[in-house]
Amino acid sequence: MNDNTALISEIRSLLGDSEHKAYVRSFGCQLNVSDGEKIKGQLKKMGYTFTESEAEADLIILNTCAVRESAEDRVFGIVGSMKKLKEQKPSLIIGIAGCMTAQSHVADKIKQSYTQVDFVLGTSAINALPKLLLEALKGAKFSADITEYDDFSEVAEQVRDSSFKASVPIMFGCNNFCTYCIVPYVRGRERSRRPEDIIAEVRGLVADGYKEIMLLGQNVNSYGNDLDGEMSFPKLLRELNSIEGDFIIRFMSSHPKDASKELIDTIFECEKVAKHLHLPVQSGSSEVLRRMNRRYTIEKYLEIVDYIRGKDPDFSLTTDIIVGFPNETDEEFRETINIVKNVMFDNIYSFIYSRRSGTKAAEMPDSTSDEVKSRRMRELLDVQREVSSEHYKRFIGRTMRVLVDDTAKKRDGWLTGKSSEFIIVEFEGDKSLIGRFVNIKVTDAMNWAVVGELISG
């Protein structure tokens, strides 16, 4: 990892004593949000303050997502609109970072067609930000670094969006190559962070008062596979669980093919690890899973669910589902509906399949109409609402420990938070409770949350 001390010092000298504001906007997943916090951390060292207004900014960085082509189109539209900002303020510096830029053809398109952009920064090149920014400040027309570095950034300082919830990436990249997914092509192969760095970061966050630690990776279950047996994900969870302090450990995402009994046992045995597992099934059909290259069958998925339910029938499970994968038949869709009914997920995150150039699925012919896909999505959501409405009733009468997130959007004087089971909980309470753990006696259940009464703070 390069030492940027001299570059940062030179930037601070160029900026002088006057205030320079940066606008950083992150799109997409939690990993992108975490990268955006690292970018802000570097900018803070350089002397920048932050603004939520593009018009006020002296520096704009868009931290992009490439999962769907519509996300790329949206960013290109935003970048295009910034041409006027640049004309009005020629000193404005514009940078594009994130997954979009990891594709060389996108970086070339930006250079050729969006001359208002000063630099492009790849997903694993955050440490190159001072170099690129210094070049822009000195008048360079365009700079780029989209190299896939193995020694990914261990940024010491981050500007986090929350004072009590922190995301901690534990690995980067993906080796799975699901046929619908661009991630392995834009974030590279799996690389695990050193366990001592992760443990030190979490220990520091807990010491600073953070109450929720979210461990991030495209497939956290495969953490450590590249560390020569030094550390596995269950072992890492146990190490973090042993850190003194009052906090909860969450993680995402888990790939079913790597969800071991050891991992499940660890979740149950570690008191600080949330009693919830997000386990993306994607489809209830083994044949569709084969076409997706998910590398497990529905029978294998249900074995994992059965092992969990055998330990606790009420354990909280959530999942991802793609509706309308190329040539999905009515029978295959019915298998997905059956999985939702039988597993009784607390929540599902569902998406209509979106063709993504550069993936294997984009080359598949598709005879299923958009109308059919939309109808299936509506049915899936209706079924899940019924499941959630019934399944959430199991919490009525129970006391749930809740980390308070914010004020409730629709009820004055109410707060909202999440339980260990990742269930949304709403209750009456004072704003001073935000960022604290409280105990809530659940009195009612809806299809998206439970309601309760504060019994202690």
Side-chain angles (χ1 to χ4, degrees):
M1 186 172 66
N2 295 327
D3 183 359
N4 287 320
T5 303
L7 295 175
I8 291 172
S9 178
E10 189 172 353
I11 290 172
R12 292 188 72 98
S13 178
L14 282 175
L15 295 180
D17 295 330
S18 58
E19 184 179 38
H20 285 74
K21 296 181 179 181
Y23 171 85
V24 180
R25 180 177 179 183
S26 293
F27 300 80
C29 69
Q30 285 287 105
L31 276 169
N32 253 29
V33 172
S34 178
D35 286 347
E37 292 177 342
K38 292 178 181 178
I39 288 170
K40 286 182 178 181
Q42 292 229 32
L43 294 177
K44 182 180 178 182
K45 287 183 179 180
M46 298 175 206
Y48 282 92
T49 58
F50 301 99
T51 178
E52 296 299 316
S53 168
E54 296 175 10
E56 292 182 358
D58 302 289
L59 167 65
I60 294 174
I61 297 180
L62 300 180
N63 187 32
T64 63
C65 174
V67 170
R68 292 177 177 79
E69 288 188 48
S70 58
E72 288 193 5
D73 293 340
R74 182 184 178 196
V75 170
F76 279 129
I78 294 171
V79 175
S81 69
M82 288 180 177
K83 186 174 183 179
K84 187 174 181 180
L85 278 176
K86 188 88 163 186
E87 290 171 351
Q88 295 171 342
K89 191 176 185 178
S91 63
L92 173 65
I93 294 174
I94 299 174
I96 310 296
C99 291
M100 274 178 62
T101 66
Q103 304 164 93
S104 57
H105 71 276
V106 171
D108 290 341
K109 178 178 178 178
I110 292 171
K111 181 178 180 180
Q112 298 298 326
S113 303
Y114 296 87
T115 55
Q116 63 270 38
V117 175
D118 296 281
F119 65 85
V120 165
L121 183 70
T123 53
S124 63
I126 292 176
N127 271 324
L129 176 58
K131 176 179 178 291
L132 299 181
L133 182 53
L134 181 59
E135 290 172 359
L137 287 167
K138 288 183 173 180
K141 289 187 177 180
F142 184 82
S143 299
D145 190 338
I146 59 171
T147 307
E148 185 180 312
Y149 292 100
D150 289 330
D151 58 337
F152 42 81
S153 172
E154 289 289 352
V155 176
E157 184 175 1
Q158 294 177 227
V159 176
R160 297 186 182 272
D161 294 337
S162 170
S163 61
F164 59 92
K165 296 167 64 175
S167 296
V168 177
I170 64 170
M171 62 187 300
F172 301 88
C174 184
N175 292 350
N176 291 315
F177 290 93
C178 300
T179 57
Y180 54 82
C181 185
I182 197 71
V183 168
Y185 305 98
V186 297
R187 282 198 174 267
R189 303 297 77 74
E190 291 177 355
R191 292 102 67 211
S192 301
R193 289 178 65 195
R194 293 186 298 271
E196 59 268 27
D197 291 331
I198 298 168
I199 294 166
E201 182 175 349
V202 172
R203 186 174 284 117
L205 289 166
V206 172
D208 288 340
Y210 282 84
K211 299 298 184 184
E212 177 183 295
I213 307 297
M214 175 70 81
L215 307 178
L216 299 178
Q218 298 302 144
N219 175 19
V220 291
N221 296 349
S222 61
Y223 172 80
N225 286 353
D226 56 335
L227 296 178
D228 298 324
E230 176 187 349
M231 181 71 70
S232 67
F233 185 52
K235 289 179 181 176
L236 178 65
L237 286 176
R238 291 183 185 277
E239 289 284 344
L240 298 177
N241 187 74
S242 69
I243 295 173
E244 291 187 10
D246 186 16
F247 63 100
I248 189 168
I249 302 167
R250 301 190 187 277
F251 57 86
M252 65 185 320
S253 285
S254 280
H255 197 296
K257 75 178 181 62
D258 299 311
S260 65
K261 290 182 178 179
E262 182 189 5
L263 171 62
I264 294 163
D265 291 344
T266 299
I267 293 171
F268 279 98
E269 292 167 11
C270 292
E271 70 277 4
K272 292 170 184 169
V273 176
K275 301 305 177 270
H276 159 253
L277 182 62
H278 184 70
L279 196 65
V281 67
Q282 303 301 2
S283 172
S285 163
S286 290
E287 169 56 25
V288 172
L289 294 176
R290 184 193 66 78
R291 299 201 301 270
M292 291 178 169
N293 192 37
R294 291 290 287 173
R295 291 187 277 174
Y296 57 86
T297 63
I298 280 303
E299 289 74 22
K300 170 64 176 174
Y301 187 92
L302 290 176
E303 283 179 15
I304 302 167
V305 173
D306 288 345
Y307 188 74
I308 293 170
R309 298 293 197 214
K311 287 178 168 290
D312 180 359
D314 289 340
F315 186 87
S316 178
L317 286 168
T318 56
T319 198
D320 295 338
I321 292 176
I322 296 174
V323 173
F325 191 75
N327 299 308
E328 178 189 65
T329 65
D330 283 334
E331 182 181 353
E332 289 165 346
F333 175 67
R334 297 259 71 82
E335 291 180 282
T336 296
I337 292 295
N338 289 338
I339 283 291
V340 171
K341 289 180 177 179
N342 292 335
V343 174
M344 295 193 73
F345 297 104
D346 282 294
N347 199 1
I348 64 172
Y349 301 86
S350 53
F351 312 87
I352 293 178
Y353 169 75
S354 176
R355 181 183 178 276
R356 183 63 179 87
S357 298
T359 63
K360 293 291 185 182
E363 302 169 8
M364 297 177 183
D366 188 7
S367 60
T368 310
S369 70
D370 291 343
E371 181 182 357
V372 168
K373 293 178 182 180
S374 295
R375 175 174 52 78
R376 289 175 182 169
M377 174 61 86
R378 290 193 296 272
E379 180 180 351
L380 176 65
L381 293 177
D382 286 343
V383 169
Q384 180 58 36
R385 274 191 287 270
E386 292 176 8
V387 168
S388 295
S389 295
E390 184 62 31
H391 203 39
Y392 276 17
K393 291 178 183 177
R394 73 192 191 277
F395 295 114
I396 295 176
R398 295 188 189 179
T399 297
M400 304 181 87
R401 191 167 191 250
V402 175
L403 178 60
V404 186
D405 287 331
D406 206 344
T407 55
K409 292 181 180 178
K410 296 183 178 180
R411 301 195 232 198
D412 290 338
W414 283 62
L415 302 173
T416 183
K418 288 190 178 69
S419 69
S420 173
E421 298 84 0
F422 208 61
I423 302 298
I424 297 173
V425 182
E426 293 197 348
F427 61 97
E428 284 189 272
D430 187 81
K431 290 181 184 178
S432 63
L433 295 176
I434 294 174
R436 292 171 53 186
F437 286 110
V438 297
N439 292 321
I440 302 296
K441 178 75 172 289
V442 178
T443 57
D444 197 9
M446 297 173 284
N447 62 26
W448 56 276
V450 298
V451 176
E453 298 172 350
L454 178 69
I455 59 176
S456 72

